[in-house]
Amino acid sequence: ELCLISPIDLVHTRHLGGSLPEIAAEKAGIFKQGVPVVSAQQNRTVMDVLHERADQLQVQLFFAGQDYSWQTSGQSFSFAGHELRLRNLQPKLVGCHQQQNLALALAGAEQLRRLGVVLPDAALRQGVEATRWPGRLEWLPGQILLDGAHNPAGAKVLADYLGQQQLLGVHLLLGLKGDKPATELLGPLLPFVKRLYATEPPVDEAIPPETLVGQAQALGICSAAYKQPQVALAAALQTRQPGEVLLVAGSLFLVAAVREQLLPATELLSISA
């Protein structure tokens, strides 16, 4: 009935292609003739590819900034589409990128209402305010922040959030799968980091923690390598001072393992890789 396109960036390049136009063309493979498409904000080259594919299939294409918009004020979030208006929403999800995704979902809901699906304003409001995403800018008790940022785009939006919240002197527990670009992931985050605890996420192939330590130490950041996430977590919790933030990032597999260790089983929600 409807296609949604979230922000497209360089990810899974081994399978999707090495450039934004190539990846956009693969993503546009979900377009179906006559089925409307709603897209988040995109790079200009991505927009061109999506427009070309939409024209080929005679598809209506709706873009953020043109057909819908949103605003934030503190913790409040408001959405404006062609007909749908929702003000003073209070989402649990934090960060500009997650609010962009909420706006995309609401824009999709507006299109479904045009197609005859019954979606009352109250249901949309409840959906926005009740949605949780474990492991994505998720705060746990004790100043512990979990974020599954595992590609350069994810690292950038995580860094943007750290900057917005003025979170400096962060203790970073990080592990990366073997196919991730370590330099591009570490680069945006290290300016906020006081100490790095490098480890291996529970995956078949991981970047050696020593590699991450070397990159951080080259920038003067105190770092240490740990083979197991549990050991790295224990070291981080013991080393940081009261009030200092512990950030776990670099892999959803790592975030899931740490989250399982920190939370009672009754509070666990599944994390999708």
Side-chain angles (χ1 to χ4, degrees):
E1 299 295 335
L2 180 71
C3 292
L4 300 185
I5 299 288
S6 58
I8 292 175
D9 212 301
L10 293 172
V11 63
H12 302 303
T13 53
R14 187 187 306 176
H15 306 289
L16 300 180
S19 69
L20 283 177
E22 289 178 310
I23 294 174
E26 290 288 341
K27 299 286 188 177
I30 70 169
F31 289 14
K32 303 176 181 66
Q33 189 164 12
V35 175
V37 176
V38 183
S39 173
Q41 290 178 325
Q42 304 288 0
N43 177 284
R44 171 53 62 181
T45 59
V46 169
M47 290 179 66
D48 291 342
V49 172
L50 299 184
H51 274 298
E52 181 180 358
R53 184 61 174 163
D55 290 342
Q56 292 172 353
L57 295 176
Q58 299 178 322
V59 162
Q60 278 187 297
L61 187 54
F62 301 92
F63 270 109
Q66 298 176 10
D67 300 288
Y68 70 93
S69 62
W70 67 96
Q71 291 182 328
T72 59
S73 177
Q75 299 300 315
S76 181
F77 171 80
S78 298
F79 173 86
H82 286 293
E83 299 155 6
L84 177 62
R85 299 284 193 276
L86 292 173
R87 300 189 182 281
N88 299 320
L89 301 166
Q90 303 293 319
K92 299 284 194 307
L93 302 181
V94 297
C96 294
H97 62 297
Q98 298 207 99
Q99 293 173 349
Q100 178 178 208
N101 288 336
L102 287 173
L104 175 63
L106 289 172
E110 180 177 37
Q111 292 302 318
L112 290 176
R113 295 213 303 197
R114 287 183 172 184
L115 296 172
V117 179
V118 178
L119 293 169
D121 286 5
L124 300 181
R125 180 177 294 274
Q126 181 183 8
V128 167
E129 296 184 347
T131 296
R132 295 175 58 200
W133 197 345
R136 297 286 190 175
L137 288 183
E138 180 187 20
W139 284 98
L140 299 186
Q143 289 291 89
I144 299 173
L145 176 61
L146 308 181
D147 190 78
H150 57 278
N151 56 42
K156 181 181 182 305
V157 295
L158 173 56
D160 288 344
Y161 177 74
L162 296 177
Q164 291 160 8
Q165 300 299 311
Q166 299 181 345
L167 297 176
L168 299 173
V170 169
H171 291 249
L172 175 60
L173 172 52
L174 184 79
L176 302 176
K177 290 181 65 177
D179 61 347
K180 302 303 179 184
T183 301
E184 294 178 51
L185 272 156
L186 276 173
L189 299 177
L190 288 181
F192 302 93
V193 173
K194 176 181 180 179
R195 186 180 181 95
L196 173 69
Y197 308 80
T199 188
E200 294 185 13
V203 295
D204 291 337
E205 183 180 352
I207 291 178
E210 293 76 13
T211 299
L212 304 177
V213 166
Q215 294 187 24
Q217 288 181 341
L219 297 175
I221 295 174
C222 187
S223 309
Y226 303 87
K227 189 71 174 177
Q228 297 177 331
Q230 296 83 355
V231 178
L233 176 62
L237 292 174
Q238 183 176 10
T239 303
R240 67 172 181 155
Q241 298 299 309
E244 291 182 333
V245 171
L246 169 58
L247 169 63
V248 183
S251 164
L252 281 168
F253 296 96
L254 174 63
V255 166
V258 170
R259 194 172 187 275
E260 184 174 357
Q261 187 171 347
L262 291 173
L263 286 180
T266 54
E267 296 185 26
L268 290 177
L269 294 175
S270 62
I271 298 179
S272 171

